[in-house]
Amino acid sequence: MGRFFYSIFRDLSSSFIMAKPLIFCLFLLFLMQNAAIAQQKSIDVDSLMQLAIDRADQNNPQDVLDHFSYTTYEKTIITDSLERENNAHSFFTEKVSKNNFNTYHGFKEEVLGFNMAGFKEPRYEVLGITLQSRSFYDEDFVIFNYRYAGPLSSRGLNNYNYEFVGDTTILDRKGYAVAFYPERPKTIPGLEGILYLDVESLAIQKVHIGINDELVARIEQEYEYLPEVEVYMPRASKLYIEKGESSKRLSLFRGKVSVGTIQNNPVKEAIEGRYLLLTSYNTNFNLSKGEKLEHPKLAIEVMEGADEKSEDFWTRYRNQALTERDLNSFDYLDTIVETENIERRLAVINNFGIGYYTVDFFDFDLTYPLKYNNYEGLRLGIGGVTNADFSKNFRVEGYTAYGFRDKVLKYGIGGGVLLNESHGAWLSLSYNDDLQETGSFNYLTDRRVYSLFEPRLVNITQFFDYQTFRLNQEYQITPKILSEFQFAKTNVLQTEAYRFVLGDESYSEYDITEATFGVRWSPSSKFMRSEKGTVEIYDGYPKVTAQISKGISGLFNGDFDFTRVGAKFYYQVERLNKSTTEFLIEGKMAFGDVPLTHLFHAYPNAPTKQTIMQRFSVAGVNSFETMYFGEFFSDRLATLQIKHHLRPFNLGEKFKPELVFISRYAIGDISDIARHQDVTFGKLNKGFMESGFEINKILFGFGTSLTYRYGAYHLPSFADNIAFKFTFNLQL
């Protein structure tokens, strides 16, 4: 009986990609309900699957083989109709790549050919999207950037129910067909389908998957058996995705895959659709070590000339000729992309996501136009930097801003020259006359962490004025290690009463000559390199940032000798139940003659006002909400912040608030506090603690937070220990 059900499934599977989702799901349900009838022998399916999971490291090619490679031809289309009479697709692309694997570096994909209909300039961001994972042995299987528990992962039995379907024969080797479905689909999303396992090794022979979640998806994956190493390698894969009941559509742009129409998307529906179909075929399996791999730390490298391949190249790699609809798509999309000005619109979207709005050869910086703080009041500004349309080897940047409360014009101007394109090596010179927060410690490599809205800036009251000449050298040591060196000469002026006393000398205005070196390491992130440069395509954790700066007296009239060191560690745990936990650990130390402007604060964010409601303002991202501005400064400081995001509450398609629990801790100290005159602040040597919660995204990205201060620095008045604020989360 098992062979009977298998034969039915085999006959239908060849066309299941085009089948309606409901029919497919009913068929899977029918198989599982009749699994007991199909069993010709008594099999404990849980024990069978536990054994298959235990043997995964003996069957997974990435565990068994030290190195291997294969060539992949892949075709992806997006369309609004699966009917043959439709003239063309709304998106068409194909690529040929060589996939290289070794145990030390993992996978590297070399894109040999890339063909995208309609675009004069290739859109490399499409290559960085994970439409589906390479292996069903992975802990998480990714489809269209959605994560699901792997059915043969170490947590498989905790997340899936299994049912024995029957015996099979695939590639002349006997096997078992085992149906599986998620144990708690509303809590932890999972895959649903049938695994075909080799009787002897329990390795995967074939997979059929169906999903009816936020995605409606079908996957059919076939394998090739390599007898010399007794391993099954993936040979062919078909992926079908439908948008389902959602009002959203399928798009491969905006930097990541989104299932649907994004509000105010200027690309509209020109290159979006209802269905996505991906077919891929692997050939030329090679188990020998081969040549030494160049740039092995890249996940994807687009080889030179990949977008200029001849028709002979494509004919050699295609497993079948393009259909008439495929061919019609080229002329159709050429017209659509040109008439709708799609390339220009995509460039605007991509730059907006990193904080710029492009107009011809100039990228306007979106962090400048509108700000507010308690010292400047309303601050209006404009600024930006030239782009590659101006020059690929030179850039000019500048800005100007005006504060309506302090009535002072601020400005900056600079330029840079590209020394090495592959390493992003820019040498820049700039001059700035502006304000900086007292006690801030800015990491050079975090400079372009973009936020359209900076919550904590609204409440800041303590600034110093500076005029600085800077020489900067940016250099990407490896794709995962970004570095920057800066040499700066700064004249510091006070905006409030302060004197720094050293012996018989007293300074309120002083010069700082400082050399700074910073690095940022992202060991788990993945990167892609093309002629457009190196970009991050997978945001992995942890992220480690470190920086050291040296103040030099006597050089260019520098007044003080000191050293400042800082480092931070950020880690995020994302769970399949859509809850997330974040950890941020940071430590900073300063030695020598360090004035208040160059000491450290713990990112306080409580205005110094009487009542809770008078202190009602916007909560920061990583700030201490109950710590008052100017309350503490340190030359040694350590902080720990923990945030736990619960699974969003599903109260409707547009109403999904998030509850976040937060705890923050800080401890620090300061030497020679008497050297800092005309200002009063305390030490943090007893340890500062606060905890609370946020309810985010209640309406239009706005939410609320409540935080309580306790421990050694608990204040006598209960109300003074409470911070009640609103939150704002904007996702681009």
Side-chain angles (χ1 to χ4, degrees):
M1 184 66 76
R3 290 179 181 271
F4 171 74
F5 285 112
Y6 165 66
S7 65
I8 295 176
F9 192 92
R10 180 192 58 204
D11 294 339
L12 289 178
S13 66
S14 61
S15 59
F16 92 104
I17 291 293
M18 309 296 288
K20 293 296 183 183
L22 180 60
I23 296 174
F24 182 82
C25 293
L26 289 174
F27 179 68
L28 283 180
L29 182 62
F30 175 75
L31 281 179
M32 288 183 275
Q33 287 178 337
N34 289 275
I37 301 174
Q39 292 183 17
Q40 296 179 344
K41 58 183 111 175
S42 177
I43 290 182
D44 182 346
V45 69
D46 286 344
S47 297
L48 175 69
M49 293 309 300
Q50 183 62 68
L51 185 58
I53 291 170
D54 292 341
R55 290 185 182 177
D57 60 352
Q58 303 171 34
N59 295 319
N60 185 356
Q62 298 174 42
D63 293 322
V64 175
L65 304 175
D66 292 333
H67 39 73
F68 59 84
S69 66
Y70 55 86
T71 304
T72 301
Y73 170 79
E74 185 175 285
K75 182 174 76 171
T76 305
I77 66 172
I78 294 178
T79 184
D80 269 327
S81 174
L82 299 178
E83 302 298 329
R84 294 185 180 275
E85 59 265 24
N86 197 313
N87 291 327
H89 308 303
S90 54
F91 177 83
F92 174 92
T93 186
E94 58 183 344
K95 73 172 180 178
V96 173
S97 57
K98 183 178 181 182
N99 293 276
N100 303 278
F101 174 83
N102 65 57
T103 53
Y104 183 74
H105 295 109
F107 269 102
K108 181 196 175 182
E109 178 184 357
E110 295 178 330
V111 179
L112 307 178
F114 184 42
N115 189 18
M116 182 180 290
F119 291 89
K120 296 178 182 178
E121 297 253 341
R123 306 303 308 185
Y124 293 116
E125 66 266 35
V126 172
L127 299 175
I129 296 168
T130 302
L131 290 178
Q132 62 174 323
S133 294
R134 285 189 173 94
S135 174
F136 280 99
Y137 292 105
D138 291 348
E139 286 294 305
D140 296 339
F141 192 85
V142 178
I143 302 175
F144 219 25
N145 283 355
Y146 283 73
R147 296 168 58 234
Y148 300 90
L152 278 181
S153 67
S154 60
R155 23 180 209 184
L157 286 175
N158 295 326
N159 290 291
Y160 289 102
N161 290 317
Y162 299 94
E163 298 287 348
F164 182 72
V165 175
D167 299 322
T168 67
T169 300
I170 298 176
L171 301 174
D172 295 325
R173 294 178 64 87
K174 292 183 178 180
Y176 301 126
V178 178
F180 62 96
Y181 53 94
E183 192 172 87
R184 295 161 291 166
K186 293 185 178 180
T187 304
I188 300 179
L191 305 172
E192 185 171 348
I194 295 181
L195 289 171
Y196 298 86
L197 304 176
D198 187 288
V199 165
E200 294 181 11
S201 64
L202 297 181
I204 298 176
Q205 295 178 308
K206 193 173 184 177
V207 181
H208 289 136
I209 298 294
I211 302 172
N212 282 277
D213 188 25
E214 293 185 50
L215 286 179
V216 177
R218 310 285 170 262
I219 297 176
E220 178 181 346
Q221 193 171 94
E222 297 179 352
Y223 290 74
E224 180 173 324
Y225 184 66
L226 305 181
E228 64 271 29
V229 288
E230 299 182 332
V231 166
Y232 287 88
M233 298 288 285
R235 178 174 59 86
S237 179
K238 298 177 182 178
L239 169 66
Y240 159 94
I241 297 177
E242 184 180 353
K243 78 177 187 66
E245 299 300 323
S246 169
S247 62
K248 300 176 179 180
R249 297 169 66 83
L250 298 169
S251 174
L252 286 170
F253 294 96
R254 295 188 64 87
K256 66 176 183 178
V257 175
S258 58
V259 182
T261 301
I262 298 175
Q263 296 297 323
N264 301 320
N265 183 354
V267 181
K268 299 182 180 178
E269 299 181 1
I271 49 176
E272 299 178 332
R274 179 181 178 86
Y275 306 97
L276 181 147
L277 290 90
L278 164 72
T279 56
S280 62
Y281 299 91
N282 301 328
T283 57
N284 302 326
F285 293 103
N286 186 354
L287 306 184
S288 62
K289 189 171 183 179
E291 299 178 0
K292 183 179 179 181
L293 198 62
E294 293 187 10
H295 312 131
K297 294 184 179 180
L298 291 169
I300 301 175
E301 184 172 14
V302 183
M303 310 307 288
E304 186 177 354
D307 61 321
E308 300 172 347
K309 296 299 182 182
S310 66
E311 185 61 24
D312 290 340
F313 171 88
W314 292 107
T315 302
R316 185 165 69 252
Y317 285 103
R318 291 175 185 141
N319 65 306
Q320 59 185 12
L322 297 183
T323 67
E324 184 177 351
R325 288 183 67 190
D326 293 340
L327 295 172
N328 289 343
S329 300
F330 285 87
D331 289 337
Y332 170 75
L333 286 169
D334 282 344
T335 302
I336 289 294
V337 170
E338 183 176 355
T339 57
E340 296 290 334
N341 201 16
I342 297 298
E343 289 186 298
R344 161 67 182 165
R345 293 178 176 183
L346 286 173
V348 171
I349 290 172
N350 291 343
N351 275 351
F352 187 81
I354 59 173
Y356 292 104
Y357 183 79
T358 301
V359 177
D360 293 328
F361 64 87
F362 196 78
D363 295 339
F364 286 92
D365 193 324
L366 297 176
T367 63
Y368 287 127
L370 180 64
K371 294 183 180 180
Y372 181 88
N373 62 69
N374 284 322
Y375 181 80
E376 294 176 283
L378 179 65
R379 172 175 167 139
L380 298 180
I382 188 172
V385 60
T386 57
N387 55 42
D389 288 342
F390 174 79
S391 173
K392 293 184 178 180
N393 299 314
F394 301 93
R395 67 186 182 194
V396 178
E397 56 188 320
Y399 74 92
T400 184
Y402 183 78
F404 283 83
R405 179 176 295 174
D406 66 342
K407 295 181 173 56
V408 175
L409 184 71
K410 295 88 178 175
Y411 65 94
I413 189 169
V417 57
L418 180 63
L419 302 180
N420 186 299
E421 184 177 8
S422 63
H423 288 279
W426 283 90
L427 182 65
S428 305
L429 180 66
S430 62
Y431 175 80
N432 297 81
D433 186 342
D434 209 331
L435 296 173
Q436 183 171 324
E437 183 187 1
T438 300
S440 59
F441 184 77
N442 300 319
Y443 294 91
L444 296 178
T445 53
D446 287 353
R447 183 167 48 190
R448 281 311 308 171
V449 176
Y450 167 57
S451 174
L452 182 62
F453 179 68
E454 302 175 71
R456 185 177 166 274
L457 181 64
V458 173
N459 298 320
I460 299 173
T461 57
Q462 293 178 294
F463 293 91
F464 64 90
D465 190 8
Y466 70 89
Q467 294 91 40
T468 299
F469 285 98
R470 294 189 180 97
L471 181 68
N472 288 71
Q473 169 71 73
E474 304 168 49
Y475 191 82
Q476 193 165 31
I477 300 173
T478 73
K480 299 184 178 185
I481 302 177
L482 178 66
S483 72
E484 185 166 350
F485 173 79
Q486 176 180 280
F487 183 81
K489 167 68 170 62
T490 304
N491 176 239
V492 175
L493 302 170
Q494 306 302 324
T495 61
E496 58 183 15
Y498 171 71
R499 290 180 299 118
F500 183 50
V501 178
L502 285 179
D504 296 332
E505 297 288 334
S506 178
Y507 300 85
S508 58
E509 177 183 344
Y510 40 85
D511 291 314
I512 301 287
T513 302
E514 190 173 19
T516 304
F517 178 73
V519 294
R520 184 176 64 196
W521 180 43
S522 304
S524 299
S525 293
K526 295 181 181 179
F527 296 84
M528 176 177 69
R529 179 178 294 172
S530 69
E531 62 177 11
K532 298 293 186 181
T534 302
V535 297
E536 187 177 45
I537 58 173
Y538 172 75
D539 192 12
Y541 303 98
K543 293 185 183 296
V544 181
T545 306
Q547 186 165 294
I548 181 170
S549 62
K550 173 64 178 176
I552 308 168
S553 66
L555 182 62
F556 296 109
N557 299 318
D559 287 315
F560 309 127
D561 271 309
F562 61 81
T563 301
R564 298 194 297 165
V565 180
K568 61 180 179 179
F569 174 93
Y570 178 73
Y571 191 76
Q572 182 171 299
V573 181
E574 296 179 343
R575 300 176 182 84
L576 291 175
N577 65 1
K578 299 182 181 179
S579 68
T580 304
T581 305
E582 302 175 42
F583 301 89
L584 177 60
I585 303 171
E586 186 171 8
K588 293 175 281 193
M589 298 184 71
F591 312 92
D593 303 328
V594 190
L596 182 70
T597 51
H598 288 62
L599 290 176
F600 311 121
H601 61 50
Y603 297 97
N605 196 32
T608 52
K609 296 180 180 179
Q610 292 292 324
T611 67
I612 295 175
M613 294 312 298
Q614 285 177 331
R615 296 193 299 272
F616 183 80
S617 59
V618 59
V621 178
N622 294 312
S623 51
F624 284 76
E625 303 302 327
T626 63
M627 185 183 294
Y628 292 91
F629 284 98
E631 188 175 2
F632 304 103
F633 287 98
S634 306
D635 57 24
R636 288 152 286 170
L637 178 65
T639 60
L640 167 65
Q641 302 189 43
I642 303 172
K643 292 184 179 182
H644 181 69
H645 303 248
L646 296 182
R647 176 188 177 93
F649 298 100
N650 190 1
L651 304 179
E653 184 175 351
K654 296 184 179 180
F655 186 43
K656 296 181 180 181
E658 299 177 356
L659 178 61
V660 184
F661 295 102
I662 301 171
S663 288
R664 299 186 178 97
Y665 310 90
I667 188 167
D669 206 348
I670 185 170
S671 303
D672 299 323
I673 196 171
R675 297 195 299 186
H676 307 281
Q677 297 292 310
D678 301 331
V679 63
T680 302
F681 59 88
K683 296 184 177 183
L684 258 177
N685 57 328
K686 297 178 182 178
F688 186 98
M689 295 180 285
E690 69 174 26
S691 295
F693 65 88
E694 296 177 352
I695 305 177
N696 295 325
K697 303 178 185 178
I698 298 175
L699 184 64
F700 303 123
F702 289 93
T704 187
S705 74
L706 187 68
T707 313
Y708 182 70
R709 170 175 174 162
Y710 59 96
Y713 292 103
H714 183 270
L715 299 172
S717 172
F718 177 78
D720 290 342
N721 297 286
I722 295 177
F724 175 55
K725 301 179 182 180
F726 74 87
T727 63
F728 183 69
N729 288 268
L730 177 65
Q731 293 183 336
L732 299 176

